[in-house]
Amino acid sequence: MSMRCIQRCGVSEGKAMFKLANRRYLGAKTRLLSQLDEALSPFLCGLKDGVFFDAFSGTGVVGEHFLRKSEFSELILNDLLYSNFVIFNGFFKFNGDFSRLELIAKRLNEMAQKQKSENFFGENFGGSFFSQNDASKIGLIRDTLDKFFSSGEICKSEFYVLLASLLYSADRVANTCGHYDAFRRVETSDKFRFELILPLWLDKKDKNEKNEKPAKQVVVAQKDANLLAKELLRADMALDVAFIDPPYNSRQYSRCYHFLETLAKNDKPKLSGVAKKPMAENLSEYCTMGAAAAFEELVATLAKKCKILAVTYNNTTSANARSNIRVSFSQVSQVLQKFGRLSVCEFDFEPFNAGKTKFDGHKEVLFVCECGGDKFVEKSSESKFDDANMGGLFADW
């Protein structure tokens, strides 16, 4: 659906609202955007009406950044998590009257203050990830959103904005260090208040002088990246740049962010353990011993459609083996050189972590592969980009 020409209705001037980047998230690239832009810009010369495919979108900030650039007119966002699917739809796809949502947000806050509710979230997450009162408020608002939608009081687009707003509002006050593997062993206090997100096209910097949205398209998907790449290939979907930022280590994001998944779905699953996790689902092959094979399969598929493959990588090693990467630097570089001309950019970077993992000398690397089609498949596996000649940075893997 083309995103065209709606009025910026009813957004309260000066009121603080959540931006897309306002969340704590493992592997987030928010503070790397300028370096990524600088590294990729030379490869975008002459590109017009480009399509940017963000295969492992996470927070969505990379896709947002490049969609703002004049070289791109379409963005494909994809992530395995349903909570991120909701968030992307809320930020990127809203096409209604925002003033209605401000009135609904006021009603929800008043209701949460006045009504006492015994519900799934209060029973399971009160006194741990949230105070008892806050968890009950969160559950009450979540159930109310389902009632609003099923009764027709809000449409699907409004539902996504309101639910994304609840996800951000809850995550902001959660008693965690940034993910939901565990909660902090401290006394909880009441801090929750429902606040709205600010959809991208209602942001002032995305408006032109006529107060209209730019005519850009956004497609949101929730699929295994390898399967989606094959679907795009079969559909003969044009792609210019594919940004590939897989998890690489054994930390499954569906487990780290299980609370947000449960809140987004509101399916009230059976929970277990101290962290109250549901049964495992949406598990990524990139967090297993099969990561290297999955990566090569994805690159082989996308190289048939894309002009540029941009692949992020880092040298994460720590005392916690779950944080260590599953694919070596040499494996990544050798795979990419089968399919195109390879350039490598390196950045010093202190990543987000939960507070206990040490990242001394941490480096982020961006591989940029200019795809050349099948002619590169038979290329020698000898690589000038290997572990040894990158200053010993990757030699221990």
Side-chain angles (χ1 to χ4, degrees), residues 262-291:
T262 298
L263 184 58
K265 296 176 181 178
N266 203 26
D267 53 358
K268 300 176 173 62
K270 181 179 179 180
L271 305 176
S272 62
V274 176
K276 297 296 182 73
K277 294 184 179 183
M279 290 184 62
E281 62 178 359
N282 288 346
L283 300 181
S284 172
E285 186 71 12
Y286 288 84
C287 299
T288 72
M289 297 301 292

Side-chain angles (χ1 to χ4, degrees), residues 114-383:
K114 294 177 181 179
Q115 295 185 21
K116 299 297 181 181
S117 173
E118 294 183 4
N119 55 61
F120 175 85
F121 290 94
E123 292 171 4
N124 288 285
F125 299 102
S128 55
F129 290 107
F130 305 91
S131 71
Q132 186 63 55
N133 196 36
D134 280 355
S136 296
K137 288 180 180 180
I138 291 166
L140 175 62
I141 292 175
R142 181 63 190 88
D143 289 339
T144 302
L145 293 182
D146 279 349
K147 292 176 184 177
F148 282 176
F149 180 65
S150 62
S151 68
E153 185 168 347
I154 58 175
C155 66
K156 192 72 170 181
S157 179
E158 293 170 326
F159 174 78
Y160 281 136
V161 173
L162 292 168
L163 181 49
S165 299
L166 180 60
L167 293 171
Y168 271 68
S169 297
D171 191 52
R172 176 178 60 180
V173 300
N175 183 35
T176 73
C177 293
H179 59 70
Y180 296 84
D181 259 349
F183 52 86
R184 298 169 63 229
R185 304 282 182 170
V186 297
E187 184 177 353
T188 57
S189 60
D190 295 346
K191 297 178 286 186
F192 174 81
R193 178 176 174 79
F194 181 77
E195 301 287 355
L196 290 171
I197 64 167
L198 180 61
L200 265 62
W201 303 138
L202 302 183
D203 192 335
K204 282 185 175 180
K205 64 182 176 182
D206 286 311
K207 310 294 287 187
N208 55 35
E209 292 181 357
K210 296 181 180 180
N211 204 36
E212 297 175 347
K213 292 193 304 184
K216 294 197 174 188
Q217 295 182 329
V218 178
V219 176
V220 178
Q222 184 206 354
K223 296 189 176 183
D224 175 278
N226 289 47
L227 296 179
L228 179 57
K230 292 175 182 177
E231 291 179 13
L232 295 173
L233 180 63
R234 288 194 296 269
D236 198 27
M237 179 77 180
L239 300 174
D240 294 287
V241 176
F243 186 78
I244 304 172
D245 182 29
Y248 286 126
N249 62 42
S250 64
R251 292 184 180 274
Q252 293 281 357
Y253 277 64
S254 61
R255 309 304 282 157
C256 289
Y257 296 98
H258 65 90
F259 170 77
L260 297 181
E261 287 291 277
T262 298
L263 184 58
K265 296 176 181 178
N266 203 26
D267 53 358
K268 300 176 173 62
K270 181 179 179 180
L271 305 176
S272 62
V274 176
K276 297 296 182 73
K277 294 184 179 183
M279 290 184 62
E281 62 178 359
N282 288 346
L283 300 181
S284 172
E285 186 71 12
Y286 288 84
C287 299
T288 72
M289 297 301 292
F295 176 75
E296 181 160 9
E297 178 188 73
L298 178 63
V299 169
T301 303
L302 290 175
K304 298 174 182 177
K305 293 296 299 179
C306 294
K307 298 173 183 176
I308 300 293
L309 300 181
V311 181
T312 61
Y313 191 79
N314 63 65
N315 63 330
T316 302
T317 57
S318 73
N320 188 340
R322 294 178 62 199
S323 297
N324 295 342
I325 60 170
R326 294 285 187 178
V327 187
S328 74
F329 183 94
S330 289
Q331 287 174 306
V332 174
S333 61
Q334 288 172 11
V335 166
L336 290 170
Q337 286 184 98
K338 292 180 181 180
F339 301 99
R341 183 179 297 106
L342 186 62
S343 302
V344 180
C345 305
E346 179 186 301
F347 318 111
D348 292 324
F349 180 63
E350 183 178 347
F352 166 80
N353 71 84
K356 293 183 179 180
T357 306
K358 294 183 179 180
F359 293 114
D360 294 336
H362 182 85
K363 302 285 185 180
E364 286 280 341
V365 172
L366 180 69
F367 294 93
V368 182
C369 180
E370 300 172 85
C371 298
D374 294 338
K375 68 179 181 179
F376 282 90
V377 174
E378 301 300 325
K379 187 173 181 178
S380 168
S381 61
E382 294 181 3
S383 170

